Amino acid sequence: MAVIYDLEHVTTYSYRNPVGFGEHRAIFLPGAGFVGRILSYTLETNIPSKVRWMMDTLSNNVALIEFSEPAKELSVTYRLRGEHFGIKAIADFPLEARAIEIPVQYTPDEWTDLAVFMRPHAEDPDGSLASWTKSFVAGDRDDTLDVLQRMMDAIWNDLTYQAREVEGTQSPSETLRLGSGTCRDYAWLMIEALRRLGLACRFVSGYLYDSSLDGGDVGMTGAGATHAWLQVYLPGAGWRAYDPTNRITAGFDLIRVAIARHPGQVIPLSGSWFGNAEDYLGMDVQVKIRKLAKLPEFEEE
C-alpha cells in the first residue's frame, strides 16, 4: 500500500525595516528511494530570486536561493506532491546473528562506510550522557532490539516534549538536565547515546504525517512542523527508523527528507541577512500535510 499526499511548508521572516539577504539553503525535497517518490514540486519566494540545485555529500537535495532586492518580509514556500510507501516493521527484516546483542559486530567494509555515523559528535562534560547510556545495558541486558526499545520508551516516559521558537538543537546532556526537548533534541540524545554503545546512527529530518488531520483517532506529537528522528544500522535489517518522540519504528507516518551526521547539517531553511540587529522581528513556520489517497497493494505472485 502507498499513500499519496500533498505537503506545503511556508517559512516567513519579518523585519522592522527593509534588510538585504545573503544566499539561503533550503532542504525540503526528499531524495529518490524505495520509501517513496516525488510526483511534483515547486519553490516560491515573495521577492525576486534565483534558485539552483545541488546534491550534498550525503546525497540530500539542496536548493540554493539568491535574492536580488531587500525587503521587510521574506517568505519561502515549497509544495510537493508525493507517493509514500511507508516503513515495514523490523520483524520483517530478521537481524543477522552478529547484530542480536550489543556490541553489534560490523564487518570491515561496514566499518569503513559507517565510521562517520559511529563517532560521537557531542561532548559530555559532566558524564551524565555516559551514565544514562550505561543504564540501558547494566546487568547483562544486551539484547539489541530490547535496548533500543527501552531507550526510546525512557525518552517518551521520562522527558517532556517542549516545542520552542529558538533555532538549533540542545546538547544531549542539556536535554537530560532540563528533562525536556523537541523532536530534534530527542533524536540527538538517542543518537549520541547509541553511538557510545558502538551503533551507527544518523540524524533524519523530514515531516510527520498525522492521521488525525484526516479524521484519524490518534494525534501525533510534532505534526504541523518539520520533524526529526534517527536511523540505526542493524546488519540484516539495514537502516531502521526510530522516532523517540512518538515511539514509531514502522508505518506511514515518517516522511524522510534528509540524513546527516548531526542536526546542523540539515536545517530546513538557513541563510544570512544584512541590517540592524533590532530590525529582526521573528520567524513563523507553517507546515501542512494532507493525504489524498491510498493506493492498493499489489498481490505477490
Side-chain angles (χ1 to χ4, degrees):
M1 182 181 68
V3 174
I4 303 296
Y5 66 93
D6 272 349
L7 185 149
E8 181 183 75
H9 184 150
V10 183
T11 304
T12 304
Y13 297 96
S14 300
Y15 305 88
R16 183 172 288 105
N17 297 299
V19 299
F21 302 100
E23 183 179 78
H24 280 54
R25 292 169 56 93
I27 303 178
F28 74 93
L29 189 63
F34 68 92
V35 294
R37 62 182 179 134
I38 299 303
L39 304 178
S40 63
Y41 68 91
T42 62
L43 191 157
E44 302 172 355
T45 61
N46 66 320
I47 59 178
S49 64
K50 179 181 179 181
V51 179
R52 62 185 179 91
W53 289 88
M54 64 167 282
M55 187 173 288
D56 68 11
T57 56
L58 293 171
S59 299
N60 300 314
N61 294 316
V62 181
L64 303 176
I65 313 171
E66 297 179 2
F67 301 98
S68 57
E69 62 183 49
K72 294 176 65 176
E73 181 178 275
L74 174 63
S75 179
V76 178
T77 301
Y78 37 89
R79 302 181 178 91
L80 66 88
R81 176 167 292 179
E83 183 177 5
H84 183 50
F85 301 131
I87 302 170
K88 291 185 178 180
I90 293 178
D92 296 326
F93 299 88
L95 301 185
E96 293 185 18
R98 58 193 174 93
I100 292 176
E101 294 183 350
I102 290 176
V104 169
Q105 303 301 311
Y106 294 121
T107 66
D109 275 347
E110 287 172 339
W111 266 93
T112 299
D113 295 336
L114 299 172
V116 295
F117 299 110
M118 298 176 67
R119 187 181 305 116
H121 186 88
E123 296 183 356
D124 184 22
D126 60 359
S128 59
L129 176 58
S131 177
W132 186 78
T133 301
K134 290 178 182 177
S135 69
F136 295 99
V137 293
D140 294 326
R141 295 181 300 168
D142 51 7
D143 180 274
T144 302
L145 296 184
D146 181 53
V147 170
L148 288 165
Q149 186 64 50
R150 284 189 288 108
M151 186 177 292
M152 191 165 62
D153 290 344
I155 293 173
W156 168 275
N157 292 318
D158 301 340
L159 302 181
T160 301
Y161 181 85
Q162 183 66 56
R164 64 175 184 275
E165 297 294 332
V166 180
E167 298 181 10
T169 305
Q170 294 173 173
S171 68
S173 57
E174 185 178 8
T175 299
L176 290 174
R177 179 179 61 83
L178 295 174
S180 65
T182 66
C183 58
R184 296 174 72 88
D185 304 324
Y186 284 4
W188 190 226
L189 167 63
M190 190 165 175
I191 286 171
E192 285 294 290
L194 293 176
R195 284 175 175 171
R196 284 163 169 78
L197 294 177
L199 288 165
C201 302
R202 60 191 188 186
F203 186 89
V204 186
S205 177
Y207 299 98
L208 178 68
Y209 168 68
D210 186 348
S211 62
S212 68
L213 301 177
D214 290 320
D217 295 329
V218 180
M220 306 297 287
T221 302
T226 54
H227 193 52
W229 59 97
L230 63 136
Q231 290 179 335
V232 184
Y233 189 82
L234 302 173
W239 288 108
R240 306 306 303 162
Y242 278 82
D243 175 11
T245 303
N246 293 288
R247 290 196 291 189
I248 295 173
T249 59
F252 290 87
D253 304 292
L254 302 174
I255 301 173
R256 189 187 78 188
V257 169
I259 58 173
R261 289 181 291 107
H262 61 83
Q265 293 180 299
V266 285
I267 299 173
L269 181 64
S270 60
S272 59
W273 61 277
F274 310 100
N276 296 320
E278 59 270 19
D279 285 336
Y280 181 69
L281 299 178
M283 175 184 70
D284 179 70
V285 178
Q286 299 291 329
V287 176
K288 299 177 182 178
I289 302 178
R290 184 167 61 98
K291 182 183 68 180
L292 300 180
K294 285 185 178 181
L295 301 181
E297 291 187 77
F298 292 103
E299 293 186 3
E300 295 185 3
E301 295 183 359

